[in-house]
Amino acid sequence: MLERVIENWLDNTTERFYQEPFCYILSSEGHTIIHSTRHPAMELGVDIITIAPDATPCAYQLKTGNISLSKWRNEVGSQTDDLVCGQLDHPSVDTTKYHRSYFVTNGRIEEEVSRAIADRNRAWTSQNQPYRRLETIVRGELFEKAKKLGTDLWPSELTDIRTLLEMYLENGEGILPKQKLSSLFESTFQLGKETAPSNNECRRTIASAGLLCAIAVSSYTDKENHVAEIEAWTLYIAYVLALAEKWNLPKKVYKNEFEIATQSLYNTLGNLCAEVKDRTYLVEGNPLTDSYVYKVRMTWLLGLMSIYALWRCIKKEPKNETDDFLRDFCREKRSQLKLWGEAAIPQFLAFFWFFRKIDGTKEPDCLIYKLISKICNLNRPGNNRFLANPYYEVEELLPHHFAPILIPPPVPLKDSFEGQSYALEGLVHLYVRRNWKQAMRSLWPAVTRLQFESFVPNNFCEFYRWRSEIGHNNFDSPTHTQDWEELKTISFESEGTCIPPTTKEHPILLLLFLCVYPHRMNAEIIRWLDTQMKDIPRP
């Protein structure tokens, strides 16, 4: 069964799909991955750079499909010359050492191409340049590398295989089933074990989970469903960090895979940005039915585009038309934001923090005012409408938004949201931080009618798990009279003691994590992120 999955993986025709699993295979063979890119703007003739176990730099160029002689002459041949003869310009590579060069394809190399490669290698040898040599890795070798690793690469439990195949057979056009993917990670990472695994076992687990993630979401990758890819790799990073926290792993154990997945997230955000930029309309499917979910999609897009814009600022990317597009897109589409549930609040916050970078007026702060007012109105005691807590995904809530026109009506939700909110306390603190004293005074009576709620995991490992039973719910009722200076003191506290140290090093990843895990949102995290966002330079 697994051999069939590997075959299907190799049948996929997109380089951007099979590059990441190949990185995990290299990692499991002892290579240190120091560079991996799928982003067209970063194409330098080298897709992957590794340091082999014998400390020799290795450069890989990946292509897809069968390599015919015409394809070799018109496209590939000159690129492989650059691969072999060019110097690897990377700070982690010792430029005094010659590197090995590999041409990789998930197809086959035709006989004429093999002869051309052999002739070129002989020519370099005759020119007293034997260190210049192009080696090849083709479909059969990739298959054997994956199969040879056996249980070091693949989990053996039947439930893992079943979940993997179920996800693999998804059509790839809809919303990522995060519960299903997280169950695959739960059985793979085995965070409930009581006996500590060795560092090498953890490395194999991390590499295995990365490859399984790439295969599980392959249908989404094939359909260029960038949002699903972003959610999937965010989940993967979360579980890698959960394993690191569980067993107090040295950073070097998970550093390679973490950096590959993080770069993949950044690149996929760039791909999503390019797609949005090139599309005239953002409607999906039938325009008549899509109108019901259009604003929900736009809210997610605005959140992701804001994260990408902030991330570009953090990386100090050279200013270009992408930054202009992101600025204009967020300004023009802000009226499309929709508060469909509290799970949308992190998306609003991502937009808010970017919006404040590009708009010096009071309008960004007005957005927070409107959010506070709407939550207080919808979830006030006695109201027959509601804003669902962040544990509810959009697909669960959409039927209830359109209940009046559905026959039969949707089954009522099992939870009551009356008089409570997970997001309200953090939003209040953000607004107080902007010193809107009089406006806050007018909102306060409505705020005091609701109870602040949050779930706090008992440890940092549980923080990263999709669902956790190990923790406690906090309930706090705001007082009817509140001293302004005291409220400011609370609002400006930003130690973030509930945030794992592994995440504090990457604030933008924590913001993306909250968009995927909105149920981990609380006032302390929001305050800490707000402090971090102030240090990001303006675009």
Side-chain angles (χ1 to χ4, degrees):
M1 186 179 294
L2 287 175
E3 290 186 3
R4 219 169 143 189
V5 173
I6 299 172
E7 286 282 4
N8 287 332
W9 161 49
L10 293 172
D11 284 338
N12 191 289
T13 57
T14 57
E15 295 163 38
R16 44 196 308 273
F17 170 48
Y18 92 86
Q19 179 169 335
E20 281 160 355
F22 183 57
C23 282
Y24 295 115
I25 289 174
L26 290 173
S27 179
S28 67
E29 292 179 339
H31 286 253
T32 300
I33 312 291
I34 61 173
H35 171 83
S36 175
T37 178
R38 300 183 308 172
H39 202 287
M42 299 179 67
E43 180 61 56
L44 302 172
V46 180
D47 294 307
I48 301 169
I49 300 173
T50 73
I51 303 297
D54 64 359
T56 303
C58 300
Y60 299 81
Q61 184 178 111
L62 276 62
K63 294 296 179 184
T64 57
N66 296 332
I67 308 300
S68 64
L69 187 59
S70 61
K71 185 174 182 178
W72 175 262
R73 287 173 173 170
N74 298 330
E75 175 187 349
V76 180
S78 60
Q79 294 179 14
T80 57
D81 281 347
D82 293 338
L83 176 73
V84 175
C85 301
Q87 183 172 301
L88 296 182
D89 187 14
H90 193 282
S92 297
V93 174
D94 183 354
T95 55
T96 64
K97 288 186 175 182
Y98 295 112
H99 65 272
R100 297 183 192 130
S101 303
Y102 295 87
F103 175 68
V104 187
T105 178
N106 63 350
R108 291 177 294 275
I109 295 177
E110 292 187 357
E111 185 177 351
E112 293 87 349
V113 177
S114 298
R115 188 178 302 117
I117 294 172
D119 290 343
R120 191 165 296 181
N121 286 337
R122 281 192 291 269
W124 280 319
T125 300
S126 67
Q127 296 167 9
N128 294 321
Q129 297 175 324
Y131 49 85
R132 286 184 174 168
R133 179 179 181 81
L134 181 65
E135 300 182 49
T136 61
I137 301 175
V138 296
R139 180 189 179 92
E141 292 169 277
L142 287 172
F143 180 86
E144 290 302 321
K145 282 177 180 289
K147 193 172 81 168
K148 183 180 178 182
L149 290 170
T151 56
D152 286 345
L153 186 62
W154 304 99
S156 57
E157 294 84 353
L158 178 61
T159 54
D160 289 335
I161 299 172
R162 181 179 299 166
T163 304
L164 175 65
L165 291 176
E166 286 175 358
M167 289 209 60
Y168 183 81
L169 294 173
E170 295 278 349
N171 64 23
E173 295 179 346
I175 297 172
L176 180 78
K178 294 193 285 290
Q179 178 64 50
K180 190 174 290 186
L181 183 59
S182 66
S183 71
L184 179 63
F185 289 148
E186 286 284 342
S187 57
T188 304
F189 284 92
Q190 297 185 18
L191 298 172
K193 287 177 64 175
E194 296 183 0
T195 304
S198 68
N199 286 349
N200 284 335
E201 288 176 316
C202 290
R203 284 192 183 96
R204 288 194 295 270
T205 297
I206 291 168
S208 170
L211 181 51
L212 290 179
C213 182
I215 292 174
V217 301
S218 61
S219 59
Y220 299 90
T221 305
D222 195 38
K223 295 291 179 63
E224 297 190 343
N225 186 339
H226 304 307
V227 174
E229 287 185 283
I230 290 165
E231 292 188 317
W233 289 107
T234 301
L235 270 165
Y236 169 73
I237 288 175
Y239 273 89
V240 168
L241 296 179
L243 189 72
E245 293 287 354
K246 173 76 174 180
W247 304 117
N248 194 26
L249 297 178
K251 189 176 294 186
K252 64 181 181 181
V253 173
Y254 61 90
K255 180 176 182 289
N256 290 340
E257 287 77 11
F258 175 84
E259 290 182 351
I260 291 169
T262 301
Q263 185 65 47
S264 174
L265 280 176
Y266 181 74
N267 293 344
T268 306
L269 283 166
N271 293 333
L272 177 62
C273 177
E275 180 186 340
V276 173
K277 184 179 178 181
D278 291 342
R279 291 182 62 169
T280 305
Y281 303 103
L282 296 173
V283 173
E284 296 285 348
N286 188 324
L288 293 177
T289 56
D290 188 61
S291 61
Y292 292 113
V293 296
Y294 179 80
K295 286 191 174 183
V296 173
R297 185 185 311 113
M298 288 304 304
T299 303
W300 212 169
L301 274 180
L302 284 164
L304 289 175
M305 291 300 93
S306 297
I307 289 172
Y308 182 53
L310 291 168
W311 206 339
R312 286 178 59 84
C313 294
I314 293 170
K315 292 173 75 71
K316 298 181 180 178
E317 297 279 16
K319 301 296 186 292
N320 56 33
E321 65 277 2
T322 298
D323 301 283
D324 296 333
F325 167 75
L326 290 167
R327 185 184 300 109
D328 294 342
F329 178 79
C330 288
R331 279 178 173 158
E332 293 170 6
K333 303 296 184 181
R334 65 185 185 274
S335 62
Q336 304 297 321
L337 287 164
K338 181 178 179 62
L339 186 59
W340 50 266
E342 286 200 280
I345 293 294
Q347 300 164 20
F348 273 82
L349 291 176
F351 173 79
F352 165 73
W353 281 312
F354 176 59
F355 195 26
R356 279 188 60 86
K357 299 290 183 185
I358 62 174
D359 191 311
T361 70
K362 67 178 183 179
E363 187 173 351
D365 294 347
C366 289
L367 176 64
I368 301 299
Y369 178 94
K370 292 175 183 177
L371 288 174
I372 295 172
S373 180
K374 191 158 189 176
I375 291 172
C376 290
N377 180 51
L378 288 175
N379 285 14
R380 72 180 188 274
N383 190 27
N384 59 1
R385 299 174 65 196
F386 62 83
L387 193 68
N389 69 42
Y391 284 91
Y392 282 87
E393 299 279 337
V394 66
E395 62 268 30
E396 298 175 90
L397 297 178
L398 277 176
H400 296 272
H401 282 275
F402 310 119
I405 62 173
L406 292 181
I407 301 175
V411 177
L413 298 176
K414 62 181 180 179
D415 294 317
S416 171
F417 315 106
E418 182 180 338
Q420 58 188 271
S421 170
Y422 277 75
L424 183 58
E425 183 180 19
L427 294 173
V428 167
H429 291 169
L430 282 187
Y431 202 57
V432 171
R433 279 176 163 229
R434 271 73 198 175
N435 207 33
W436 292 101
K437 182 176 180 179
Q438 295 307 317
M440 195 68 247
R441 186 194 299 272
S442 67
L443 287 170
W444 194 251
V447 170
T448 61
R449 296 189 185 101
L450 271 67
Q451 191 174 52
F452 302 150
E453 186 173 358
S454 64
F455 176 79
V456 181
N458 279 0
N459 56 64
F460 291 148
C461 173
E462 293 297 318
F463 179 89
Y464 291 118
R465 300 176 77 171
W466 177 246
R467 290 290 185 265
S468 174
E469 302 293 333
I470 306 174
H472 56 278
N473 284 302
N474 285 340
F475 301 92
D476 188 19
S477 298
T479 59
H480 290 287
T481 57
Q482 175 67 61
D483 178 74
W484 177 251
E485 292 303 320
E486 182 183 352
L487 184 57
K488 282 179 65 177
T489 299
I490 297 171
S491 300
F492 278 93
E493 186 281 330
S494 58
E495 291 298 317
T497 55
C498 71
I499 303 170
T502 46
T503 295
K504 280 190 171 181
E505 298 175 15
H506 308 278
I508 200 69
L509 282 182
L510 176 58
L511 178 54
L512 184 55
F513 170 83
L514 285 187
C515 288
V516 179
Y517 283 69
H519 46 284
R520 290 288 175 264
M521 169 180 54
N522 62 43
E524 187 176 7
I525 295 175
I526 292 173
R527 294 195 304 267
W528 186 85
L529 275 173
D530 187 54
T531 300
Q532 301 303 310
M533 294 299 141
K534 290 179 181 177
D535 294 333
I536 297 176
R538 294 180 181 276

